[in-house]
């Protein structure tokens, strides 16, 4: 994990973030920025001390998951002010943020006649997927795929190339063509899963 001083704190209103205060993680949203500080709408537990309390702010930029340490102070009405105390760190590049997630995926080979196969993902990222149940397609072949991350979410569809096979029957897919909105959706989904699975900072 290396410091990237050129990165900036979140400055766009409505940016979703996560605030960790004394080990307690709470969802947050940027409402304003001024004089080096960031004001956040955050539901902080009533017992939580927020008067210059040490805190860590995380959010997603185009390059990946960013983090900066600092402190918070309560402004009232569910708003806190975060003041950074150091440089922003790029803790996980977006395309490489990979998380375990199982969902159905439909796969069709592009380079020969074949019926659609119903498989399942093992893990995913904004750059590719690891899939179980893919039969008769080898490394180097291109496929068309479609999936729904969870019930009620939009369909994600694109093309990919099989880049590896695992010893336990999995197939690694690298996206060849995927819309920016779908790639962003995968990145945001992976980020949310990562935050829910990791211990508080």
């Amino acid at each position: 994990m290396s410091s990237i001083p050129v990165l900036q704190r979140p400055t766009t209103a409505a940016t979703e973030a996560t605030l960790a205060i004394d080990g307690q993680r709470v969802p947050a949203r940027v409402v304003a920025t001024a004089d080096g500080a960031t004001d956040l709408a955050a539901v902080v537990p009533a017992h939580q001390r927020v008067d210059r309390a040490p805190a860590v702010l995380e959010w997603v930029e185009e390059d990946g998951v960013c983090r900066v340490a600092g402190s918070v102070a309560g402004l009232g009405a569910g708003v806190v002010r975060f003041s950074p105390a150091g440089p922003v760190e790029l803790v996980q590049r977006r395309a490489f943020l990979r998380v375990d997630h199982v969902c159905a995926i439909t796969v069709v080979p592009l380079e020969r006649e074949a019926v659609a196969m119903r498989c399942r993902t093992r893990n995913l990222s904004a750059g590719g997927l690891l899939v179980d149940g893919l039969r008769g397609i080898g490394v180097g072949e291109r496929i068309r795929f479609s999936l729904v991350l969870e019930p009620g979410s939009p369909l994600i569809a694109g093309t990919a190339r099989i880049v590896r096979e695992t010893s336990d029957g999995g197939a690694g897919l690298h996206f060849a063509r995927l819309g920016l909105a779908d790639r962003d959706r995968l990145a945001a989904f992976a980020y949310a899963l990562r935050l829910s699975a990791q211990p508080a900072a």
Side-chain angles (χ1 to χ4, degrees), residues 94-109:
R94 184 168 114 168
F96 303 113
L97 177 55
R98 183 172 293 275
V99 294
D100 293 336
H101 180 66
V102 177
C103 67
I105 177 172
T106 300
V107 174
V108 180

Side-chain angles (χ1 to χ4, degrees), residues 4-201:
I4 313 292
V6 297
L7 292 174
Q8 303 296 316
R9 70 188 190 286
T11 57
T12 304
T15 295
E16 300 294 331
T18 299
L19 189 62
I21 309 171
D22 291 338
Q24 178 71 46
R25 285 185 177 274
V26 295
R29 178 173 47 82
V30 175
V31 294
T33 58
D35 300 326
T38 301
D39 293 347
L40 303 155
V43 181
V44 179
H47 67 274
Q48 185 70 58
R49 180 179 65 88
V50 294
D51 183 20
R52 307 304 299 173
V56 175
L57 184 64
E58 280 193 359
W59 70 99
V60 177
E61 290 283 0
E62 184 175 350
D63 288 334
V65 180
C66 298
R67 175 187 297 162
V68 62
S71 61
V72 291
L75 298 181
V79 177
V80 298
R81 175 161 293 169
F82 177 84
S83 299
V88 175
E89 296 176 308
L90 182 63
V91 296
Q92 179 68 67
R93 289 196 176 276
R94 184 168 114 168
F96 303 113
L97 177 55
R98 183 172 293 275
V99 294
D100 293 336
H101 180 66
V102 177
C103 67
I105 177 172
T106 300
V107 174
V108 180
L110 282 175
E111 295 161 344
R112 54 188 167 87
E113 290 289 335
V115 297
M117 283 176 276
R118 188 79 164 169
C119 307
R120 300 190 76 80
T121 64
R122 189 187 305 180
N123 61 45
L124 55 82
S125 74
L129 308 163
L130 183 61
V131 173
D132 287 320
L134 199 57
R135 299 289 182 264
I137 307 178
V139 171
E141 290 194 64
R142 295 185 304 129
I143 58 96
R144 182 171 66 250
F145 72 90
S146 60
L147 63 88
V148 173
L149 290 170
E150 53 188 355
S153 65
L155 182 75
I156 292 176
T159 65
R161 186 178 297 276
I162 300 175
V163 294
R164 68 186 178 97
E165 295 175 337
T166 65
S167 59
D168 58 356
L173 310 181
H174 179 75
F175 298 139
R177 180 168 296 181
L178 184 65
L180 182 59
D182 283 343
R183 200 177 293 271
D184 285 344
R185 193 172 293 118
L186 279 166
F189 186 81
Y191 174 64
L193 282 185
R194 174 185 181 273
L195 288 180
S196 66
Q198 73 179 33

